Amino acid sequence: MPDTTERRPYHHGNLRTDLLDAAERGLRAHGAERLSLRDLARDVGVSHAAPRRHFADRRALLDALAESGFVRLGERLRTAVNEIGDEGDLPARLHAFASAYVRFATENAALIGLMNSSKHRPGATAVAEAAAAAFGQISDLIQDGQERGELEGDDPEETGLVIYATVLGITSMLNSGMVEPARLEGLVGTAVTQFLRGARPAEPR
Amino acid sequence: MPDTTERRPYHHGNLRTDLLDAAERGLRAHGAERLSLRDLARDVGVSHAAPRRHFADRRALLDALAESGFVRLGERLRTAVNEIGDEGDLPARLHAFASAYVRFATENAALIGLMNSSKHRPGATAVAEAAAAAFGQISDLIQDGQERGELEGDDPEETGLVIYATVLGITSMLNSGMVEPARLEGLVGTAVTQFLRGARPAEPR
DNA sequence: ACAACAATGTTGCCAGTGTCTACTCTCGCG
DNA sequence: CGCGAGAGTAGACACTGGCAACATTGTTGT
């Protein structure tokens, strides 16, 4: 009878990604606060000090998690907007953007909380860049609309920032329990239409 | 020579409030994550298990902190709006509201983060109520505007929620470093005017 | 082929922490 | 006056993050 005790190799192979996966599961299950490096090490089947080779710090692990979150969020937003069609009307694309953001945020509540709360340590430019990339898309959208005359306004980045902030705020209120999930759809709807009403070019008298 | 070792009484007197004060200082200094009950106990000069008589849990302490934050925020918002004058024009009052919120949030960055991230435990109705009280003011403002015909729209609570979310989102982006402090003024300005443009009654053709 | 070396994991340790239980002190009330 | 409830103390336990010293493996230059 062969030995059933699985003999793991000394080198795990891809500890880093496995740790991140386990971390994300833990995040989803118990929140970021009680996410312990030692626990993750146990989950992956590795000694308690092993993670240190890949993450200098608990904070570093969380930052990496946040960064990967921003990357995936960015992808989701991009595909959501693109699915509408390249020359689709702006309102639809805006709504798709906001809707996709909110969906991502509800499906990954703890992760989004981590992303926003993460006061990334001084050197962590990676997470900031990923966030900027995700956010930048809306500025492009706005600029597009302005160039085509569908929108009025001056600074596309500034207005984009405001929209992004609105959606972010909505999900934040949702995740902290200030508003019930059932109201989500309605909220993003009024937010987007409110914005569009405010940004449309003045009708000729 | 008299004994200089201050003889503290066995009963501290008002441990609870002193702990909260110390906690707020710690919050401001080091953030919520590294806020240790034992540390607070030391600060106040009391044994490490004493806080337990007043806060069942670390979480309970944080919740109490968040609640007090909402109460104070509510007061600040109220006075800010009232200072404009009882019959003052709506744009000015809205701007005052948003401005006061943002100011509070920047002056108490860590606290506001705690307030928003605090997924208050099941029983904690107190913090939710305090939050609702703070937020409710904007709904009243909107409703007022609608009744006087200065604003168009249907559900005042819903639009109030959207505005609140916008301001909340702006401060969140600020505190997480996605936007520089210098842009704050401009952002709340465009947010408010954007909203007002969208919510004003249609001009007669 | 092989020695040196850099990566990657492991064990052991330390200072802290939150929480629990049992004990002690003090004040106020019958 | 005594005594019980409230408020603070002391000790223990399981756990955590971080560090240092050691072990094992993959790689690479010669």
Side-chain angles (χ1 to χ4, degrees):
Chain A
M1 181 172 174
D3 186 3
T4 64
T5 63
E6 191 70 36
R7 178 75 171 89
R8 279 179 298 96
Y10 191 91
H11 279 101
H12 181 285
N14 47 357
L15 225 199
R16 193 189 144 96
T17 59
D18 274 25
L19 280 175
L20 284 177
D21 287 359
E24 190 146 353
R25 284 196 304 272
L27 191 63
R28 211 176 291 274
H30 307 109
E33 305 225 336
R34 48 156 118 181
L35 199 59
S36 121
L37 290 179
R38 286 172 115 102
D39 223 5
L40 296 179
R42 276 189 289 266
D43 276 10
V44 178
V46 92
S47 87
H48 72 258
R52 201 157 195 302
R53 295 278 170 223
H54 301 273
F55 303 99
D57 213 294
R58 189 185 120 101
R59 184 89 234 149
L61 187 274
L62 295 181
D63 280 357
L65 225 42
E67 180 188 348
S68 116
F70 273 117
V71 170
R72 275 179 295 161
L73 171 62
E75 290 168 2
R76 288 271 296 261
L77 295 179
R78 194 180 327 274
T79 69
V81 170
N82 287 347
E83 272 176 359
I84 295 299
D86 214 21
E87 294 297 318
D89 59 332
L90 195 74
R93 289 161 83 186
L94 253 181
H95 197 91
F97 180 93
S99 207
Y101 182 99
V102 166
R103 208 174 318 126
F104 181 90
T106 55
E107 290 171 5
N108 309 275
L111 180 57
I112 257 273
L114 184 64
M115 293 188 245
N116 290 334
S117 88
S118 107
K119 22 199 79 215
H120 15 304
R121 51 151 50 94
T125 59
V127 46
E129 284 174 14
F135 148 72
Q137 298 186 56
I138 187 112
S139 297
D140 296 350
L141 228 57
I142 304 285
Q143 191 163 13
D144 235 50
Q146 287 182 356
E147 283 169 1
R148 282 199 265 160
E150 295 185 50
L151 286 185
E152 211 177 40
D154 31 348
D155 186 351
E157 204 225 344
E158 175 120 339
T159 55
L161 218 47
V162 170
I163 299 184
Y164 197 87
T166 305
V167 192
L168 190 155
I170 290 178
T171 64
S172 175
M173 295 181 77
L174 180 93
N175 286 338
S176 73
M178 282 186 62
V179 48
E180 312 129 40
R183 308 191 53 180
L184 246 191
E185 293 280 336
L187 279 172
V188 308
T190 64
V192 171
T193 60
Q194 270 285 352
F195 167 77
L196 287 172
R197 274 181 51 105
R200 77 188 160 198
E203 300 280 337
R205 298 278 162 85
Chain B
M1 182 171 174
D3 187 1
T4 63
T5 64
E6 191 69 35
R7 178 77 171 87
R8 279 179 299 94
Y10 191 91
H11 282 98
H12 181 284
N14 47 358
L15 225 199
R16 192 188 144 94
T17 57
D18 274 25
L19 279 176
L20 284 178
D21 287 359
E24 189 147 352
R25 284 196 303 272
L27 191 63
R28 211 175 291 275
H30 308 109
E33 306 227 335
R34 51 155 115 180
L35 199 59
S36 125
L37 291 179
R38 286 171 117 104
D39 225 6
L40 296 179
R42 275 188 288 269
D43 276 9
V44 177
V46 95
S47 88
H48 72 262
R52 202 160 194 297
R53 295 277 169 222
H54 301 274
F55 303 98
D57 214 295
R58 189 187 120 103
R59 183 91 234 147
L61 187 272
L62 295 182
D63 281 357
L65 225 41
E67 181 189 347
S68 115
F70 274 117
V71 170
R72 275 179 295 161
L73 170 62
E75 290 167 1
R76 287 271 296 259
L77 295 179
R78 194 178 329 273
T79 68
V81 170
N82 287 346
E83 272 178 359
I84 295 298
D86 215 21
E87 296 297 320
D89 59 332
L90 195 72
R93 288 160 83 185
L94 254 180
H95 197 93
F97 180 93
S99 206
Y101 183 100
V102 165
R103 208 174 318 127
F104 181 90
T106 54
E107 289 170 5
N108 307 276
L111 180 58
I112 255 274
L114 184 64
M115 294 190 245
N116 290 334
S117 89
S118 110
K119 22 199 74 216
H120 15 302
R121 53 152 48 96
T125 59
V127 45
E129 284 174 13
F135 148 73
Q137 297 186 56
I138 187 117
S139 298
D140 297 349
L141 227 57
I142 304 285
Q143 193 165 13
D144 234 52
Q146 287 181 356
E147 283 171 1
R148 280 199 264 162
E150 295 185 51
L151 286 185
E152 211 177 42
D154 31 349
D155 187 350
E157 203 225 346
E158 175 121 339
T159 54
L161 219 46
V162 170
I163 299 184
Y164 197 86
T166 305
V167 191
L168 190 156
I170 290 177
T171 62
S172 175
M173 295 181 77
L174 180 94
N175 285 338
S176 73
M178 281 186 63
V179 47
E180 310 128 40
R183 307 191 52 181
L184 246 191
E185 292 280 337
L187 280 171
V188 308
T190 64
V192 171
T193 61
Q194 269 285 355
F195 166 76
L196 287 172
R197 273 181 51 107
R200 75 183 162 203
E203 299 281 337
R205 298 275 164 83

Coordinates of all heavy atoms in Angstrom, one line a residue, chain B residues 18 33 39 50-51 56 58 61 83 85 88 91 94 100 116 119 128 131 151 171 175 177 199 201 204-205:
Chain B
D18 N -13.6 59.0 29.0 CA -12.1 59.1 28.9 C -11.5 58.2 27.8 O -10.7 58.6 27.1 CB -11.4 58.9 30.2 CG -11.4 60.2 31.1 OD1 -12.3 61.0 30.8 OD2 -10.6 60.3 31.9
E33 N -6.9 51.0 12.6 CA -6.3 49.6 12.6 C -5.5 49.3 13.8 O -5.6 48.3 14.4 CB -5.5 49.4 11.3 CG -6.3 49.7 10.0 CD -6.1 48.6 9.0 OE1 -5.1 47.9 9.0 OE2 -7.0 48.5 8.1
D39 N -3.8 49.6 24.9 CA -3.1 50.8 24.8 C -3.9 51.9 25.4 O -3.4 52.8 26.2 CB -2.8 51.1 23.4 CG -1.4 51.6 23.2 OD1 -0.6 51.6 24.1 OD2 -1.0 52.0 22.0
A50 N -10.1 46.7 32.2 CA -11.1 47.6 32.7 C -12.1 48.0 31.5 O -13.3 48.1 31.7 CB -10.5 48.8 33.3
P51 N -11.6 48.3 30.3 CA -12.4 48.8 29.3 C -13.6 47.8 29.0 O -14.7 48.2 28.6 CB -11.5 48.8 28.1 CG -10.2 49.1 28.6 CD -10.1 48.4 29.9
A56 N -18.1 45.9 25.3 CA -18.1 44.5 25.3 C -17.0 43.9 24.4 O -16.5 42.8 24.6 CB -19.4 43.9 24.9
R58 N -13.9 45.1 21.1 CA -13.2 46.2 20.4 C -14.1 46.8 19.4 O -14.1 48.1 19.3 CB -12.0 45.5 19.7 CG -11.0 46.6 19.1 CD -10.0 45.9 18.3 NE -10.0 46.3 16.9 CZ -9.1 47.2 16.4 NH1 -8.1 47.6 17.1 NH2 -9.2 47.6 15.1
L61 N -16.3 49.4 20.9 CA -15.6 50.7 21.1 C -15.6 51.5 19.8 O -15.9 52.7 19.7 CB -14.2 50.4 21.5 CG -13.2 51.5 22.0 CD1 -12.4 52.1 20.8 CD2 -13.9 52.6 22.7
E83 N -26.8 78.7 9.3 CA -26.1 79.9 9.2 C -26.4 80.7 8.0 O -26.3 81.9 7.9 CB -24.6 79.7 9.3 CG -24.1 79.6 10.8 CD -22.6 79.4 10.8 OE1 -22.0 79.2 9.7 OE2 -22.0 79.3 11.9
G85 N -29.1 81.2 6.7 CA -30.4 81.9 6.9 C -31.6 81.1 6.6 O -31.5 80.2 5.7
G88 N -32.8 81.5 3.1 CA -31.8 81.7 2.1 C -32.0 80.8 0.9 O -32.8 79.8 0.9
P91 N -29.4 77.0 -3.5 CA -28.0 76.8 -3.9 C -27.0 77.0 -2.8 O -26.1 76.2 -2.6 CB -27.8 77.7 -5.1 CG -29.2 77.9 -5.7 CD -30.1 77.9 -4.5
L94 N -27.3 74.4 -0.1 CA -26.7 73.1 -0.6 C -25.2 73.1 -0.6 O -24.6 72.2 -0.1 CB -27.2 72.8 -2.0 CG -28.3 71.7 -2.2 CD1 -28.6 71.6 -3.6 CD2 -27.7 70.4 -1.6
A100 N -19.6 71.8 4.3 CA -19.4 71.5 5.7 C -19.0 70.0 5.9 O -18.2 69.6 6.7 CB -20.6 71.8 6.5
N116 N -17.8 55.2 7.8 CA -18.4 54.6 6.5 C -18.1 53.1 6.4 O -18.9 52.4 5.9 CB -17.8 55.3 5.3 CG -18.4 56.7 5.2 OD1 -19.5 57.0 5.7 ND2 -17.6 57.6 4.6
K119 N -19.2 48.2 9.2 CA -20.4 47.4 9.1 C -20.9 47.1 10.5 O -20.4 46.2 11.1 CB -20.1 46.2 8.3 CG -18.6 45.7 8.3 CD -18.4 44.8 7.1 CE -18.3 45.6 5.8 NZ -18.8 45.0 4.7
A128 N -26.6 53.4 13.3 CA -27.4 53.6 12.1 C -28.3 54.8 12.2 O -28.5 55.6 11.3 CB -28.2 52.3 11.8
A131 N -26.5 58.0 11.9 CA -26.1 58.3 10.5 C -27.4 58.8 9.7 O -27.3 59.7 9.0 CB -25.6 57.0 9.8
L151 N -36.9 73.4 -7.2 CA -36.3 72.1 -7.7 C -37.4 71.3 -8.4 O -38.6 71.4 -8.0 CB -35.7 71.3 -6.6 CG -34.4 71.8 -6.0 CD1 -33.9 70.8 -5.0 CD2 -33.4 72.0 -7.1
T171 N -15.0 62.8 -0.7 CA -14.1 62.7 0.4 C -13.4 61.3 0.5 O -12.2 61.3 0.9 CB -14.9 62.9 1.7 OG1 -15.8 61.9 1.9 CG2 -15.6 64.2 1.7
N175 N -9.4 60.9 0.8 CA -8.8 60.3 1.9 C -8.0 59.0 1.4 O -7.1 58.6 2.2 CB -9.8 59.9 3.0 CG -10.2 61.1 3.7 OD1 -9.6 62.1 3.8 ND2 -11.4 61.0 4.4
G177 N -6.3 59.0 -1.3 CA -5.2 59.5 -2.1 C -5.5 59.6 -3.6 O -4.5 59.8 -4.3
A199 N -31.4 69.7 -11.7 CA -32.7 69.6 -11.0 C -33.5 70.8 -11.1 O -34.7 70.8 -10.6 CB -32.3 69.4 -9.5
P201 N -36.1 73.5 -12.5 CA -37.3 73.3 -13.4 C -37.0 73.7 -14.8 O -36.2 74.6 -15.0 CB -38.3 74.2 -12.7 CG -37.8 74.5 -11.4 CD -36.3 74.4 -11.5
P204 N -39.4 77.8 -19.5 CA -40.5 77.8 -20.5 C -39.9 78.2 -21.9 O -39.1 79.1 -22.0 CB -41.4 78.9 -20.0 CG -40.6 79.8 -19.1 CD -39.6 78.8 -18.5
R205 N -40.4 77.5 -22.9 CA -39.8 77.8 -24.2 C -40.4 79.1 -24.8 O -41.6 79.3 -24.7 CB -40.2 76.6 -25.2 CG -39.7 75.3 -24.8 CD -38.2 75.1 -25.3 NE -37.6 74.0 -24.6 CZ -37.8 72.7 -25.0 NH1 -38.5 72.5 -26.0 NH2 -37.2 71.8 -24.3

